[in-house]
């Protein structure tokens, strides 16, 4: 063999050429391999600012970013910013403009196909609490209101000092039964009985250091108004809520302690992978207040991002088993409304944002479906009063649709099919009410959560609410009106559950919570007919298989 090789090598030039070519390629491959072993991955040490808006200058500091812009980029959620589009790119510092229409998410720096460990940033628009700028240095003070009485949803202007240039975690409280001890409670960060302005209802119109424009929040009653910032609580000023439409009262307060758990197992994955678990948090609303996270184990990657605690795992394998447990404390109230339909406003859109967001068709709420549109028109006919319209829709569904317990077997089925078949579970009927109300021009939302029976067993449950100008949100529960999933023991339940709500429930979402992906090229997993309307409960890349078990949140105690 050796003699033949020598013969061919000496006799033929083409043979010698291929031998030298193979040697050269082998040497190059060896050099490339050794270089890849010694090459260092980019490392992010800081992102400033961590919360940004379109056009802000973002600075990423760290190491091993390289000085060449070819084959290097930044990933933020599902967006990619090429190195050549950055203001500056050096080995230890990257400067770029935060792009428009970006909701933030997981941040990676990629250099020559080597990806850094993940970091995180968010947009101002997507955060429930905006970044704080320095207050002007003093306790907030109210000097005057432009009016001392108004109805729910109308705008009032508050003049004063030291409110802060941006809202941050600051709030405007409307306290009906005020006493002097409440100021001390507020300054100790303790909850007091008060109605609060809400992002959900677009109550914050303008916030500046010397003037605030806010809408009177749902649930407000006549009493005292005060502003609370990180520097303390302002003086109180009297304020009257004008309401000719009706009354909304809160009673039978319940204190819940609940736990939510998730298990991940049977993982099959490639070498490089990532997994995000987004566990919903209970919401703040007119009937649900003082929501506290008591414990989260393990510590989440992000404690609260758009209403969820986000847990992040990198490069997991078949031996990895994940168990997440979150415990919450929540106060809930029985809600009773009494409406005088004669005084309900017709064709008024004082809070345009409510209609622009809660009276439209969405993927979850098919208000533009032809059958939904046709049915809504047949139900309301010539009725113009929104309260009477909602009552007609409620009565129609109770009379014409059989309501059954929820089943995971119905996953993937459209609520429109339930309308066709005249049979709907509690998930479908809540969405059907919202869709028919929206088709009739009424802002409405389905609500997702859990409900407890007398033995403190929790059940997945869905109900709905609709909005009246000058009054606020009115709850509706078609399932419990028909004693599904169980009989709550309410007399005349079919009549009572239009406008009233028991206190034995915890809400995790009002309408769908649409979250952007945390990373590019990842797969998002939704959980239909669960305790929140989320588009992405899980998000992964590099995983070929895994099992996830989301338990119905468990009630530890009610008192």
């Amino acid at each position: 063999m050796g003699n033949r090789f020598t013969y061919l090598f000496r006799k033929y030039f083409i043979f010698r050429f291929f031998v030298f070519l193979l040697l050269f390629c082998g040497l190059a491959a060896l050099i490339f391999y050794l270089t890849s072993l010694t090459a260092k991955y980019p490392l992010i040490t800081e992102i400033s600012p961590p919360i940004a808006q379109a056009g802000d200058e973002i600075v990423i500091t760290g190491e091993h970013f390289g000085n060449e812009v070819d084959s290097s980029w930044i990933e933020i959620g599902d967006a990619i910013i090429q190195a050549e589009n950055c203001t500056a790119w050096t080995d230890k510092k990257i400067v770029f403009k935060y792009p428009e229409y970006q909701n933030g998410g997981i941040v990676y720096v990629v250099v020559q196909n080597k990806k850094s460990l993940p970091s995180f940033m968010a947009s101002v628009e997507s955060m429930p609490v905006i970044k704080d700028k320095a207050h002007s240095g003093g306790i907030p003070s109210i000097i005057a209101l432009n009016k001392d009485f108004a109805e729910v949803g109308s705008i009032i202007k508050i003049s004063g000092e030291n409110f802060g240039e941006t809202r941050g975690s600051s709030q405007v409280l409307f306290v009906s039964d005020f006493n002097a001890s409440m100021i001390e409670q507020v300054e100790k960060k303790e909850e007091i009985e008060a109605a609060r302005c809400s992002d959900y209802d677009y109550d914050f119109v303008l916030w500046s250091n010397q003037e605030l424009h806010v809408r009177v929040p749902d649930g407000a009653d006549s009493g005292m108004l005060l502003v609370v910032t990180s520097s303390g609580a302002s003086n109180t000023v009297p304020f009257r809520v004008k309401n000719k439409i009706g009354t909304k009262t809160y009673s039978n307060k319940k204190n819940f302690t609940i736990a939510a758990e998730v298990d991940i197992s049977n993982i099959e994955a490639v070498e490089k992978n990532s997994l995000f678990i987004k566990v919903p948090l209970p919401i703040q609303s007119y009937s649900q207040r003082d929501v506290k996270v008591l414990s989260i184990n393990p510590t989440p990657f992000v404690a609260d991002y758009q209403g969820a605690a986000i847990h992040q795992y990198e490069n997991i394998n078949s031996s990895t088993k994940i168990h997440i447990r979150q415990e919450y404390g929540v106060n809930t109230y029985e809600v009773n409304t009494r409406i005088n339909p004669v005084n309900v406003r017709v064709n008024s859109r004082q809070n345009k944002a409510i209609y622009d967001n809660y009276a439209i068709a969405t993927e979850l709420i098919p208000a533009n479906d032809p059958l939904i549109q046709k049915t809504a028109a047949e139900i309301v006919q010539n009725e113009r009063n929104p309260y009477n319209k909602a009552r007609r829709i409620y009565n129609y569904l109770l009379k014409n649709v059989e309501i059954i317990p929820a089943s995971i077997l119905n996953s993937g089925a459209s609520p429109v099919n339930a309308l066709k078949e005249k049979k709907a579970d509690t998930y479908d009927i809540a969405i059907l009410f919202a869709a028919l109300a929206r088709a009739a021009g009424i802002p409405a939302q389905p609500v997702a959560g859990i409900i407890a029976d007398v033995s403190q067993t929790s059940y997945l449950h869905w109900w709905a609410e609709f909005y009246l100008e000058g009054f606020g949100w009115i709850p509706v529960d078609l399932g419990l009106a028909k004693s599904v999933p169980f009989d709550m023991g309410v007399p005349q339940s079919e009549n009572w559950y239009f406008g009233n709500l028991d206190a034995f429930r915890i809400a995790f979402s009002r309408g769908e919570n649409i979250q952007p992906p945390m990373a590019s090229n990842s797969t998002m997993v939704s959980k239909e007919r669960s305790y929140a309307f989320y588009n992405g409960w899980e998000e992964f890349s590099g995983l070929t298989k895994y099992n996830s078990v989301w338990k119905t949140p468990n009630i530890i105690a009610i008192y």
Side-chain angles (χ1 to χ4, degrees):
M1 180 70 179
N3 290 337
R4 182 167 180 80
F5 177 85
T6 303
Y7 170 78
L8 293 172
F9 188 82
R10 289 176 176 176
K11 183 172 179 65
Y12 297 107
F13 167 78
I14 191 67
F15 185 79
R16 292 195 299 275
F17 173 77
F18 277 112
V19 170
F20 284 124
L21 182 62
L22 287 171
L23 288 172
F24 176 79
C25 291
L27 181 62
L30 179 62
I31 293 171
F32 179 79
Y33 175 72
L34 293 175
T35 302
S36 67
L37 291 178
T38 59
K40 296 181 178 179
Y41 281 80
L43 175 66
I44 300 173
T45 57
E46 184 182 8
I47 300 176
S48 180
I51 308 173
Q53 58 186 352
D56 282 358
E57 183 175 86
I58 309 301
V59 179
I60 299 178
T61 54
E63 297 179 343
H64 315 309
F65 298 151
N67 294 303
E68 300 294 330
V69 298
D70 292 340
S71 301
S72 298
W73 63 86
I74 303 164
E75 294 182 10
I76 306 176
D78 57 353
I80 293 178
I81 303 169
Q82 297 291 342
E84 57 263 30
N85 295 326
C86 294
T87 308
W89 188 296
T90 66
D91 192 51
K92 296 182 181 296
K93 183 177 179 181
I94 301 169
V95 182
F96 65 97
K97 297 290 186 183
Y98 195 72
E100 293 185 357
Y101 312 114
Q102 174 53 241
N103 288 321
I106 300 302
V107 179
Y108 296 96
V109 173
V110 183
V111 179
Q112 303 294 325
N113 291 321
K114 290 187 178 295
K115 181 180 285 190
S116 70
L117 291 173
S119 190
F120 180 82
M121 70 178 303
S123 70
V124 168
E125 289 78 11
S126 66
M127 293 297 287
V129 177
I130 307 173
K131 59 181 178 180
D132 281 316
K133 294 183 181 178
H135 291 290
S136 56
I139 301 297
S141 173
I142 299 174
I143 297 173
L145 306 179
N146 72 320
K147 48 189 173 184
D148 65 358
F149 68 94
E151 64 184 11
V152 169
S154 63
I155 297 173
I156 60 172
K157 299 177 182 179
I158 307 171
S159 301
E161 297 176 337
N162 302 327
F163 298 142
E165 294 298 339
T166 57
R167 180 167 65 86
S169 57
S170 301
Q171 252 296 358
V172 180
L173 305 185
F174 292 72
V175 187
S176 57
D177 297 317
F178 179 80
N179 62 71
S181 65
M182 289 182 173
I183 295 295
E184 184 178 351
Q185 289 178 266
V186 168
E187 292 180 341
K188 289 181 178 180
K189 311 297 183 185
E190 296 176 358
E191 288 289 326
I192 64 171
E193 295 291 330
R196 292 163 169 77
C197 292
S198 168
D199 289 309
Y200 182 83
D201 289 339
Y202 305 94
D203 290 334
F204 297 102
V205 179
L206 171 71
W207 194 287
S208 68
N209 194 51
Q210 296 181 318
E211 185 168 282
L212 311 180
H213 297 182
V214 298
R215 296 184 185 277
V216 179
D218 188 9
D221 203 350
S222 297
M224 292 293 186
L225 179 153
L226 68 154
V227 177
V228 180
T229 73
S230 59
S231 298
S234 74
N235 56 306
T236 59
V237 295
F239 186 82
R240 290 179 295 139
V241 176
K242 180 178 67 174
N243 185 1
K244 294 182 179 180
I245 295 174
T247 61
K248 180 184 287 186
T249 58
Y250 304 90
S251 61
N252 197 21
K253 177 182 175 182
K254 301 297 178 186
N255 301 293
F256 279 83
T257 303
I258 55 177
E261 295 181 283
V262 188
D263 288 292
I264 307 292
S265 60
N266 298 329
I267 297 165
E268 294 180 8
V270 298
E271 184 177 349
K272 292 183 70 64
N273 59 73
S274 66
L275 174 65
F276 299 95
I277 306 297
K278 306 175 183 180
V279 186
L281 303 171
I283 60 169
Q284 296 270 6
S285 73
Y286 57 89
S287 63
Q288 183 166 296
R289 306 174 189 176
D290 195 15
V291 176
K292 295 179 180 177
V293 176
L294 303 178
S295 66
I296 299 182
N297 188 29
T299 301
F301 180 55
V302 182
D304 184 355
Y305 180 64
Q306 295 186 354
I310 300 178
H311 299 258
Q312 184 258 343
Y313 301 89
E314 289 281 329
N315 301 325
I316 55 180
N317 54 48
S318 58
S319 65
T320 304
K321 293 187 184 299
I322 297 170
H323 177 74
I324 299 169
R325 180 181 173 90
Q326 302 188 171
E327 294 187 5
Y328 323 107
V330 183
N331 292 339
T332 65
Y333 295 81
E334 180 178 307
V335 180
N336 290 269
T337 63
R338 295 293 178 266
I339 303 298
N340 184 354
V342 174
N343 292 332
V344 171
R345 196 171 301 145
V346 176
N347 295 329
S348 172
R349 297 197 172 191
Q350 173 174 266
N351 190 342
K352 186 174 181 294
I354 291 283
Y355 290 84
D356 289 345
N357 289 275
Y358 306 139
I360 61 172
T362 67
E363 185 174 351
L364 175 69
I365 307 167
N368 59 350
D369 180 90
L371 180 59
I372 295 289
Q373 292 274 332
K374 179 175 180 290
T375 305
E378 291 173 350
I379 294 171
V380 303
Q381 297 182 11
N382 295 324
E383 179 62 63
R384 298 174 63 231
N385 185 303
Y387 180 80
N388 293 337
K389 287 181 181 180
R391 185 73 199 222
R392 286 190 180 190
I393 292 168
Y394 176 85
N395 290 341
Y396 174 89
L397 291 174
L398 286 183
K399 182 178 179 181
N400 294 280
V401 179
E402 179 187 358
I403 301 175
I404 60 176
S407 171
I408 196 67
L409 298 176
N410 293 332
S411 293
S414 168
V416 178
N417 292 335
L419 185 60
K420 293 176 182 176
E421 297 167 3
K422 305 299 183 186
K423 180 182 290 189
D425 64 15
T426 46
Y427 174 91
D428 287 326
I429 204 70
I431 294 176
L432 275 177
F433 177 86
L436 289 166
R438 290 189 179 197
I442 308 168
Q445 288 277 49
V447 184
I450 60 172
I451 192 164
D453 64 13
V454 292
S455 66
Q456 298 189 11
T457 300
S458 58
Y459 299 78
L460 295 175
H461 194 58
W462 303 269
W463 58 102
E465 58 186 5
F466 66 96
Y467 187 83
L468 286 186
E469 282 279 357
F471 184 83
W473 293 95
I474 296 179
V476 170
D477 192 333
L478 288 121
L480 281 184
K482 288 291 189 179
S483 301
V484 180
F486 55 84
D487 187 351
M488 186 65 81
V490 175
Q492 298 181 329
S493 59
E494 290 192 12
N495 181 62
W496 194 83
Y497 276 107
F498 181 85
N500 305 305
L501 207 63
D502 59 79
F504 294 93
R505 62 185 69 214
I506 304 291
F508 284 83
S509 63
R510 300 164 74 189
E512 191 169 19
N513 188 325
I514 302 294
Q515 294 199 0
M518 303 297 291
S520 61
N521 302 320
S522 62
T523 300
M524 296 183 72
V525 179
S526 62
K527 297 289 180 184
E528 189 183 343
R529 297 169 193 267
S530 193
Y531 60 92
F533 299 117
Y534 272 42
N535 67 317
W537 296 66
E538 304 159 11
E539 182 179 338
F540 67 88
S541 62
L543 299 180
T544 56
K545 178 186 175 184
Y546 67 90
N547 291 342
S548 64
V549 177
W550 291 77
K551 299 177 182 177
T552 299
N554 178 51
I555 297 170
I556 300 172
I558 307 176
Y559 54 94

